[in-house]
């Protein structure tokens, strides 16, 4: 009897083939889905973690770092061997043997998932942890786990074990905003990575699974237990011997997080952040590892901050004493009311902690010729108020505005020896313009003459006075500036017109709103320190204007230059007029209101400024190479009139103390005399040529051809 052969029926074959086809399609779709969530290999090869942007001063000294993640990349050879061994021992003892994943670990994790019904994050190799930390999310799903393993295999294929370990140690998050072992060493121990001990290395590795839980500052007992566990595992795997184990366990844990270093230049740093963040975006500035080379001299910055704060604290104590208030000399952290930035809103400032007024100040230094800003002090205490009084505050310049008036007079044909009126003058407003009252050669006293105007609602009357109330009649243009005579200033602006003064200020570099009124001569408009300093520096630079600048160049992480400062000069005034003005401003520091500066024994041109009721006190001074401006006052515009009566001469005192240090290595050069300038001895009272017998004759500068011709 013949055997019956087994055969498949057609329906069965069709069903099997269809099932196989569906399986292949489903598998293909699933694998496509899996691989679609993985980065391409070239991205892994080019991967660069979020880096720290570094800021350098003019001498290439690192002064600040911008980073959302506190991270620094360190080559493996610079990472202590104990730290490398601790990571391998604790996190992946088979690291140098596997191909990116552990079969035993995967089965253990899968079994746990099946039993508990929830995903388990453990059982990952260093390579898997790296793939998850760099490229994948932290969600605990099976799909992510599969992608993690595939990516780990690719990483093992593309990188050596040493490269993987190096990347892992620089990438791992260790709590408190610290990414990578170098940042963590600084954060927890205030040490360089090369200085950490075996016990400290074990503590850092112990943080990896749960930085918050094992934080030594928050949970010292748990942190110690975890550190000792890491040390025990290292000992079991023969990375350390018995003596090293005992010594490491005996080490004390850090008990207090290192206090942030009080760094100088924070107002400057904030200013360049405002410049660069809108230009490059937050991600690039904070994460791309830029190198920013700035103009600041951090040593000069530090001493300027220290001296200004010390002097203003002394003045605070004088004011408090005058008010009958006893204060602690060390109470320099008290807050005064502070304004908010006009550029962006800030959080409400803390309530005033002191029961006495607290002065604020600003100080700025720049290079006369280039405009490079060397020092920028925006106030006392960046932590108290980020409002930058050098670049954001708008204050009245007072008499420090007068050089613009004097320049307008020079351009109208005045000379330093020209006699100008130092007599009371009454200005009245007729509803359209300010006009000068002609007292008809003093036939009427101004007090009598102004009475009809006072009674009329259609007229406003203004009668300016010199500081101290004394008028000399007629003085030379030079003496009017040296003694900062208000009556000379208002009579000058009346003669040359406020519009001419505004044109001078605009050419010098001021962009502030300047009213077309006689009071402009006394600095009633508001200006920013940075603009005011740059504008006045134009006169010291032979009439050439250069804008302030703060950044020399910006490079990307690979050293490619993204931007570089390009000098831009504008010829604003003739070198002859600029020299005449700056030569008169030298007299301010030799015989005038800024004479305190003369103790430096240098050729310094300057101008003091004190506003009405002593609300703002200025001094701006310049050598041929360096210019600096100082301001002090109260943020809430409190008057000093009834207190210590500080003036611009007061500000000149601490300006001098700071600049004595800043200028100590600068040659004592004088301002260069341009062609077309001649010198003649004059009588400083008459403004005419000096007689041979004159005892107080003065050597004055003139544009050639404008010298006095008579005695």
């Amino acid at each position: 009897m013949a055997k019956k052969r087994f055969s498949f029926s057609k329906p069965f074959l069709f069903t099997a083939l269809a099932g196989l086809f569906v399986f292949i399609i489903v598998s293909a779709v699933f694998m496509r889905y899996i691989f679609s969530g993985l980065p391409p290999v070239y991205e892994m090869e080019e991967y660069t973690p979020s880096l720290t942007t570094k800021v350098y001063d003019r001498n290439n000294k690192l002064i600040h770092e911008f980073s959302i993640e506190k991270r620094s990349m360190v080559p493996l050879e610079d990472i202590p061997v104990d730290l490398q061994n601790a990571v391998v021992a604790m996190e992946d003892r088979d690291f140098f043997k596997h191909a990116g994943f552990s079969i035993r670990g995967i089965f253990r994790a899968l079994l746990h998932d099946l039993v508990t019904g929830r995903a388990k994050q453990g059982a990952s190799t260093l390579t898997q942890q790296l793939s998850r930390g760099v490229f994948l999310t932290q969600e605990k799903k099976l799909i992510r786990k599969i992608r993690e393993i595939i990516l780990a295999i690719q990483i093992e294929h593309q990188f050596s074990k040493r490269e993987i370990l190096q990347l892992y140690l620089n990438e791992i998050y260790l709590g408190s905003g610290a990414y990578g072992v170098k940042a963590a060493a600084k954060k927890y121990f205030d040490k360089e990575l090369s200085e950490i001990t075996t016990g400290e290395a074990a503590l850092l590795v112990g943080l990896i699974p749960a930085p918050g839980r094992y934080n030594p500052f928050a949970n010292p007992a748990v942190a110690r237990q975890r550190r000792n566990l890491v040390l025990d595992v290292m000992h079991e795997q023969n990375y350390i011997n018995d003596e090293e184990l005992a010594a490491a366990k005996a080490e004390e844990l850090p008990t207090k997080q290192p206090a942030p270093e009080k760094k100088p230049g924070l107002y400057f740093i904030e200013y360049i952040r405002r410049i660069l963040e809108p230009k490059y975006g937050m991600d690039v500035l904070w994460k791309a590892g830029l190198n920013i080379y700035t103009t600041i001299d951090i040593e000069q910055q530090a001493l300027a901050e220290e001296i200004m704060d010390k002097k203003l604290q002394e003045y605070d104590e004088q004011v408090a004493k005058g008010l009958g208030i006893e204060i602690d000399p060390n109470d320099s952290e008290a807050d005064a009311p502070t304004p908010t930035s006009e550029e962006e809103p800030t959080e409400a400032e803390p309530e005033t902690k002191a029961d006495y007024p607290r002065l604020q100040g600003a100080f700025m230094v720049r290079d006369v010729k280039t405009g490079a800003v060397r020092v920028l002090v925006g106030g006392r205490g960046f932590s108290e108020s980020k409002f930058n009084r050098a670049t954001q505050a708008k204050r009245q310049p007072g008499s420090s505005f007068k050089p613009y008036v004097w320049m307008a007079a020079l351009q109208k044909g005045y000379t330093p020896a020209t006699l100008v009126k130092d007599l009371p003058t009454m200005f009245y407003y007729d509803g359209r313009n300010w006009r000068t009252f002609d007292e008809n050669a003093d036939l009427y006293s101004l007090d009598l003459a102004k009475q009809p105007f006072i009674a009329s609602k259609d007229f406003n009357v203004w009668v300016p006075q010199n500081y101290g109330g004394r008028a000399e009649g007629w003085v030379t243009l030079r003496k009017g500036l040296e003694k900062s005579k208000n009556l000379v200033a208002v009579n000058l602006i009346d003669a040359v017109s406020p519009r001419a003064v505004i044109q001078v200020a605009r050419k010098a570099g001021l962009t502030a709103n300047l009213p077309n009124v006689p009071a402009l001569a006394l600095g009633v408009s508001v200006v920013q320190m940075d603009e005011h300093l740059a504008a006045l520096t134009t006169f010291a630079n032979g009439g050439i204007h250069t804008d302030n600048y703060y950044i020399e160049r910006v490079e990307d992480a690979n050293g490619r230059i993204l931007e570089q400062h390009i000098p831009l000069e504008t010829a604003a005034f003739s070198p002859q007029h600029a020299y005449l003005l700056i030569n008169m401003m030298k007299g301010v520091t030799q015989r005038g209101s800024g004479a305190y500066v003369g103790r430096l024994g240098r050729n310094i041109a300057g101008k003091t400024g004190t506003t009405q009721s002593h609300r703002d006190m200025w001094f701006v001074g310049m050598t041929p190479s360096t210019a600096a401006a100082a301001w002090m006052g109260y943020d809430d515009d409190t008057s000093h009139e009834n207190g210590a009566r500080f003036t611009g001469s007061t500000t000149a005192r601490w300006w001098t103390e700071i600049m004595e240090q800043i200028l100590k290595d600068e040659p004592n050069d004088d301002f260069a005399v341009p062609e077309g300038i001649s010198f003649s001895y004059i009588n400083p009272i008459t403004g005419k040529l000096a007689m041979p017998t004159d005892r107080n004759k003065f050597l004055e500068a003139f544009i050639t051809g404008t010298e006095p011709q008579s005695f």
Side-chain angles (χ1 to χ4, degrees), residues 465-471:
Q465 298 291 328
N466 283 332
Y467 183 73
R470 182 170 176 265

Side-chain angles (χ1 to χ4, degrees), residues 37 141 146 163 251 320 328 361 433 474 563 594 600 649 691 707:
K141 292 183 178 179
I146 296 172
E163 290 172 329
E251 292 179 22
D328 181 354
N433 298 298
W474 293 83
E563 68 172 77
L600 292 179
S649 298
M691 299 286 289
E707 307 91 334

Side-chain angles (χ1 to χ4, degrees), residues 300 602 660-668:
Q300 294 181 359
R602 289 180 170 271
E660 184 175 18
Q661 299 299 317
I662 289 178
L663 297 175
K664 63 183 180 180
D665 296 323
E666 181 179 305
N668 187 17

